[in-house]
């Protein structure tokens, strides 16, 4: 059996597994969609298994308010809401995808935390109460820089940690300029995405 066939079979199995996970949770998050604005990246999803591995490494607690920046249809928000945390928030600019995400958090089975979807620009969101952030490559480096500046302003030095999935060289360079953050772990997930974990200096002490 040739490599292209094996690759096709692996991708097909992955899609089927994700679809079954959606059905089990009572939600619908599969598919792709083009970017709607300059600086934004097209919509896609990370597999359930890889997302769960990232959430485990974030060590969510009852004191955490979690935000998925560029949440799309809300898969990660739904998984976070199955943890015993203070709140799970999805931030999504596309009104069409935000509407889907709102339906998904309402239908989600096994939800343990309050969950909500905000249809607004990430660089205009209030992050004052957000302790944990998740990014799956939602936008290009210049917009990431603006969002990180907003987070820093809103959080005012309070302990914050975040995960960035599919970190590019450009994204990494942006993070390196934000001295208020330090990278404490990097790894490659099962989908071959580079994942980086950051936290404030306060959180590292």
């Amino acid at each position: 059996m040739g490599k292209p066939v094996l690759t096709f079979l692996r991708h097909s199995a992955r899609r089927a597994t994700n679809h079954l996970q959606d059905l089990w949770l009572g939600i619908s998050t599969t598919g792709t969609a083009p970017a709607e604005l300059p600086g934004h990246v097209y919509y896609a999803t990370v597999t359930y298994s890889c997302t769960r591995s990232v959430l485990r490494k974030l060590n969510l607690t009852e004191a955490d308010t979690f935000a998925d920046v560029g949440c799309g249809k809300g898969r990660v928000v739904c998984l976070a809401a199955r943890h015993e945390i203070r709140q799970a928030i999805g931030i999504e600019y596309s009104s069409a995808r935000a509407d889907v995400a709102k339906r998904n958090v309402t239908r989600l089975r096994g939800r343990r935390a309050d969950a909500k979807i905000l249809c607004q620009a990430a660089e205009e969101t209030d992050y004052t109460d957000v302790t944990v952030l998740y990014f799956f490559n939602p936008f290009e480096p210049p917009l990431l820089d603006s969002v990180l500046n907003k987070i820093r302003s809103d959080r005012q030095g309070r302990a914050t940690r975040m995960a960035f999935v599919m970190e590019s060289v450009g994204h990494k360079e942006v993070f390196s300029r934000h001295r208020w953050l330090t990278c404490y772990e990097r790894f490659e997930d099962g989908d071959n995405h580079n994942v980086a974990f950051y936290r404030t200096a306060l959180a590292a002490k």
Side-chain angles (χ1 to χ4, degrees), residues 57-59 161-163 182-186 197-199:
K57 286 179 175 289
L58 284 170
N59 297 315
R161 58 198 191 278
M162 56 187 72
T182 182
C183 181
Y184 64 93
E185 184 177 358
R186 279 194 172 91
F197 294 85
Y198 293 88
R199 60 187 172 197

Side-chain angles (χ1 to χ4, degrees), residues 128-178:
T128 302
D129 297 323
V130 176
T131 59
V132 181
L133 297 109
Y134 174 98
F135 303 80
F136 172 42
N137 188 25
F139 25 64
E140 300 295 338
L143 185 50
L144 172 63
D145 187 52
S146 297
V147 173
L148 291 179
N149 281 327
K150 184 61 164 61
I151 294 168
R152 181 184 184 183
S153 175
D154 290 346
R155 293 295 294 159
Q156 298 183 353
R158 286 172 292 172
T160 309
R161 58 198 191 278
M162 56 187 72
F164 197 102
V165 180
M166 204 170 172
E167 184 186 48
S168 69
V169 173
H171 294 129
K172 186 177 179 180
E173 195 276 330
V174 169
F175 275 109
S176 72
R177 298 200 304 267
H178 285 262

